[in-house]
Amino acid sequence: MIPSVTARTGSIIYPLVYSAAVERDPDGSRRIASFLTLCCFQVSAVTSAMFVTAMAGNPIVQAFANNYLQNDIAMLDDDTQSLTAFNWMLGAIAPGLLSLILVPLTIYVLHPPLSQDP
């Protein structure tokens, strides 16, 4: 089991991205490599926020949220409110998928992968 998003991105994703960038851009301009690296870094941050078990800090936030739900919302009729892993995923799926679409497009606009000839 790989313990963190940094280890997962650095040891599994980065070598794949590097190989793809070298294959696609053998002249060494590094524009494609930097674009892919930026995308992978940002996408790994988004996917880490989408799932409770994807990052070490998420279970801590889950515990704080459950404590808040039990203490501050206990006055409601339904006192069985808790933040489960499924509820976390359900709440994060829409903004996560939107971010997974918009982040690479934003990086493409700000840092295009293709070199421009003058």
Side-chain angles (χ1 to χ4, degrees):
M1 182 172 168
I2 297 175
S4 70
V5 67
T6 308
R8 203 170 31 250
T9 304
S11 65
I12 296 173
I13 304 298
Y14 182 73
L16 296 172
V17 167
Y18 180 77
S19 296
V22 169
E23 181 69 29
R24 177 86 169 120
D25 193 18
D27 68 345
S29 68
R30 300 179 64 156
R31 289 293 285 182
I32 293 174
S34 63
F35 170 76
L36 289 174
T37 302
L38 284 170
C39 281
C40 286
F41 174 75
Q42 296 298 328
V43 165
S44 69
V46 170
T47 56
S48 292
M50 288 175 69
F51 305 101
V52 172
T53 58
M55 187 177 72
N58 289 350
I60 296 170
V61 172
Q62 181 187 23
F64 285 144
N66 281 331
N67 188 23
Y68 172 78
L69 287 171
Q70 290 172 359
N71 291 338
D72 294 340
I73 306 181
M75 66 186 94
L76 298 175
D77 292 335
D78 184 17
D79 61 348
T80 60
Q81 296 284 336
S82 68
L83 184 61
T84 64
F86 182 73
N87 291 343
W88 181 294
M89 183 193 68
L90 218 56
I93 197 79
L97 290 176
L98 184 65
S99 296
L100 289 176
I101 293 168
L102 292 179
V103 165
L105 292 174
T106 305
I107 293 172
Y108 184 82
V109 169
L110 297 175
H111 188 76
L114 302 175
S115 59
Q116 309 266 333
D117 290 334

